Amino acid sequence: MSGANTTAGRATTPAAGATNPWLIAVVVSLATFMEVLDTTIANVALRYISGGLAVSADEASWVVTTYLVSNATILVASSFIAERYGRRRFYLSCLAIFTIASVLCGLAWNLQSLLIFRVIQGFAGGGMVPTSQAILADSFPPAKRGQAFAMFGVAVVVAPVIGPTLGGYLSDNYSWHWCFLINGPVGVFAFILVYFLVERSQEMRRKRQELRRQGIRFDLVGFLLVATFLGSLELVLDRGQTEDWFDSNFIIAMTALCVLAFALAIPWVLTKSNPIIDGRLLGTRQFGSCFIVMMATGAILIATTQFLPQVLQQDYGYTATWAGLALSPGGLVTMVMMFVAGRLTTVVQPKYMIATGALIIAGSMWWLTRLNPNLNFAFFVWSRLYIGLGLPLIFIAITSASYYGLRPDQTNQASAMINAARNIGGSIGVCIALNVLAHREQWHQSRLVEHIVPSAPAYQETLQTMTRYFAQKGATMADAQSQATAWIGQQVQMQSSYLAYIDVFYVLTLIALSAIPLALILSNIDLGKGGGGMH
């Protein structure tokens, strides 16, 4: 990162032109919100998709997998494409394709067509988010980037929270098709605003001319290697539990492909003069630490967004709508805290904000380890409120800190890599949580069953009590005893589920705590100069 300290403080406004940069922030955040929303909105609609298209639940789950894989693979190419063909042109193209693909997903006539449209939607969406972030980084001076990223953070952090709520409501009351069709009018509106408000950048135009003059071409080999690595990694993480991990030839093949692509990609991106991604950035203390912390943040954000509605529907009998509503108040707190955190970046060192946010999130995960059958709606609302307090502190600080010390020509690369970290971290978090849940549920059930033996006084007392209960309801003694035995079995299964979810939240607590030492090794930012240098 030679010369970083001399250029990092230089404020550029290529994306803004004469337009108020806050208008640009609102516009690009709207489009980003729509794209990130699609990472979770389909999760709660899978059973409706399964029934509507007459496919199994396992087949329907590919609707989520295909989107994540295509979204991850295009992230690494978005930086070069934006620089080579124009950031505004690339962004508008991605937004248009994403909107059209979303409508086609809503009109899909079978699973195959839906998966094809989801792949196209994922490719287009993967190019939108890092480009949005790069536009914001260049539209605001370093001193105000924290506040600008607060607007962007609302889209990235709140959208996954609203996704299950909106998806559940639309699926319960209308049709799963509307989970995708709602992107149509929003996409058209965002496209019109971006077209008229985001002006062509003269600096980006000069850079494109320089790239043509130097004859710099797209790093196809690097792209194929990195995309293969990310795509196969996403497949392994997302499908591993379903396919029974290494008992599946598919998972073995994808793992081998992932390792091979990674082994070949490392020397390529480190030695090539113009690689698809700047691998050297990950070797720096500042950006490398930000990358890992963003992975941890993505893991907690996506894992909790998926597992809280799941436990509410599975063990507490909530509908998809009410399970989503339990998360919504946390989304409102997150929105407010985003702007508070944006202000704090001008007076508080990012590393202390990140450490504080990680500590708050660790506390909220610890709060969820109190899971038991008697909890009410308010308990889960409060748990999400605590998460909403901590996430913005991490997200805004890490987004701002990752740009400090970088040259202006590195902002596209940094944006793409930070967003890739969030996506990869989310997949890893869900993967870890799924495996902990599956294995610990089996383990707890085995331990509980050991106490359910005819010689155990507690078992005999419970069996007799429940037999009398069912007999009083009109069952014969034989039927009442069978129903009592089945009831005891259900209780064992339910208790195993509660205990397994508690273990999941313990693991997420440890992930949150691991971000604290990483945050504290970040460099101090010269806040008085708007983050222009590091010391």
Side-chain angles (χ1 to χ4, degrees):
M1 286 180 24
S2 60
N5 290 342
T6 62
T7 59
R10 196 162 61 214
T12 58
T13 58
T19 305
N20 187 322
W22 287 107
L23 285 177
I24 295 176
V26 172
V27 171
V28 299
S29 296
L30 175 64
T32 299
F33 182 90
M34 179 178 65
E35 191 277 331
V36 178
L37 185 75
D38 268 53
T39 61
T40 58
I41 194 171
N43 288 349
V44 294
L46 289 181
R47 62 190 181 97
Y48 293 97
I49 294 173
S50 173
L53 298 180
V55 296
S56 67
D58 180 57
E59 290 175 311
S61 67
W62 278 99
V63 172
V64 176
T65 302
T66 50
Y67 184 83
L68 292 174
V69 171
S70 58
N71 198 273
T73 54
I74 198 62
L75 277 171
V76 294
S78 62
S79 172
F80 181 87
I81 297 174
E83 291 179 357
R84 182 66 176 78
Y85 299 102
R87 185 184 291 163
R88 178 177 178 274
R89 183 184 303 169
F90 176 61
Y91 188 79
L92 285 171
S93 299
C94 288
L95 182 53
I97 295 171
F98 180 86
T99 303
I100 294 170
S102 297
V103 174
L104 291 174
C105 284
L107 300 176
W109 52 92
N110 56 32
L111 180 64
Q112 291 74 20
S113 62
L114 178 57
L115 295 182
I116 291 172
F117 298 142
R118 281 288 277 179
V119 168
I120 298 172
Q121 189 188 38
F123 275 128
M128 285 168 54
V129 177
T131 309
S132 299
Q133 198 167 336
I135 288 173
L136 287 180
D138 285 349
S139 297
F140 288 82
K144 293 186 177 181
R145 280 181 185 168
Q147 298 173 46
F149 287 141
M151 186 79 70
F152 181 81
V154 168
V156 173
V157 176
V158 177
V161 177
I162 294 179
T165 307
L166 183 59
Y169 176 81
L170 292 173
S171 299
D172 286 342
N173 297 282
Y174 298 99
S175 167
W176 65 265
H177 299 275
W178 283 103
C179 294
F180 303 108
L181 291 175
I182 59 170
N183 287 338
V186 177
V188 171
F189 180 65
F191 183 92
I192 294 172
L193 291 178
V194 171
Y195 183 85
F196 286 105
L197 293 179
V198 179
E199 300 179 4
R200 290 179 174 84
S201 167
Q202 297 300 321
E203 183 175 327
M204 290 295 292
R205 182 178 298 176
R206 288 193 296 270
K207 189 168 185 178
R208 292 201 304 274
Q209 293 172 350
E210 182 66 17
L211 288 174
R212 293 193 187 100
R213 187 183 65 79
Q214 295 177 357
I216 296 176
R217 297 180 178 275
F218 180 66
D219 180 17
L220 181 60
V221 174
F223 170 70
L224 291 175
L225 289 174
V226 176
T228 300
F229 163 66
L230 291 176
S232 55
L233 177 63
E234 287 281 358
L235 281 170
V236 170
L237 294 174
D238 196 64
R239 304 297 301 178
Q241 182 64 35
T242 305
E243 302 287 341
D244 200 19
W245 291 105
F246 297 107
D247 286 336
S248 165
N249 291 331
F250 173 74
I251 295 298
I252 293 174
M254 288 298 102
T255 302
L257 186 62
C258 178
V259 172
L260 179 62
F262 180 76
L264 295 174
I266 292 299
W268 182 271
V269 300
L270 291 178
T271 58
K272 189 172 174 60
S273 57
N274 293 286
I276 190 69
I277 62 169
D278 189 354
R280 297 178 186 85
L281 284 177
L282 294 175
T284 63
R285 182 179 69 176
Q286 185 76 3
F287 188 83
S289 298
C290 289
F291 186 89
I292 297 173
V293 173
M294 184 58 88
M295 287 182 65
T297 304
I300 294 170
L301 172 63
I302 303 301
T304 54
T305 301
Q306 176 168 327
F307 280 85
L308 281 176
Q310 182 174 307
V311 71
L312 285 171
Q313 292 178 78
Q314 176 181 309
D315 293 335
Y316 290 88
Y318 284 40
T319 64
T321 303
W322 278 100
L325 287 173
L327 275 63
S328 296
L332 296 176
V333 172
T334 301
M335 291 177 65
V336 175
M337 279 300 298
M338 278 293 177
F339 296 101
V340 174
R343 289 285 185 181
L344 289 176
T345 56
T346 61
V347 293
V348 180
Q349 288 292 338
K351 65 181 183 181
Y352 298 129
M353 290 178 61
I354 295 168
T356 302
L359 190 61
I360 293 173
I361 291 175
S364 68
M365 293 298 99
W366 184 267
W367 168 273
L368 284 166
T369 60
R370 299 166 54 195
L371 211 62
N372 65 75
N374 300 317
L375 298 178
N376 57 20
F377 183 79
F379 175 87
F380 295 99
V381 170
W382 278 105
S383 69
R384 197 67 195 186
L385 290 176
Y386 298 143
I387 297 173
L389 290 174
L391 271 177
L393 295 176
I394 297 181
F395 186 85
I396 298 300
I398 210 70
T399 305
S400 299
S402 62
Y403 285 100
Y404 289 129
L406 300 184
R407 301 186 306 273
D409 64 300
Q410 293 177 309
T411 56
N412 279 341
Q413 285 267 4
S415 178
M417 294 171 71
I418 283 294
N419 280 282
R422 177 173 51 82
N423 282 16
I424 295 170
S427 295
I428 292 175
V430 171
C431 173
I432 291 173
L434 279 172
N435 279 277
V436 170
L437 183 66
H439 290 93
R440 293 298 291 177
E441 187 171 1
Q442 293 175 2
W443 188 86
H444 286 300
Q445 188 168 344
S446 298
R447 300 289 79 77
L448 291 174
V449 168
E450 291 174 356
H451 300 282
I452 302 178
V453 292
S455 59
Y459 172 72
Q460 287 296 334
E461 181 180 350
T462 302
L463 181 63
Q464 292 171 11
T465 300
M466 295 310 300
T467 299
R468 288 194 298 270
Y469 171 81
F470 287 116
Q472 291 171 0
K473 295 294 183 180
T476 64
M477 286 304 296
D479 289 341
Q481 188 168 20
S482 297
Q483 291 174 3
T485 303
W487 181 87
I488 293 173
Q490 291 174 355
Q491 295 305 304
V492 169
Q493 190 171 4
M494 184 177 296
Q495 291 297 324
S496 301
S497 177
Y498 286 127
L499 293 170
Y501 276 109
I502 288 172
D503 291 337
V504 169
F505 294 124
Y506 273 126
V507 171
L508 293 178
T509 302
L510 295 176
I511 292 175
L513 291 174
S514 69
I516 296 177
L518 286 170
L520 295 178
I521 67 173
L522 291 175
S523 300
N524 285 326
I525 306 300
D526 190 350
L527 300 174
K529 296 181 180 180
M534 296 185 293
H535 59 273

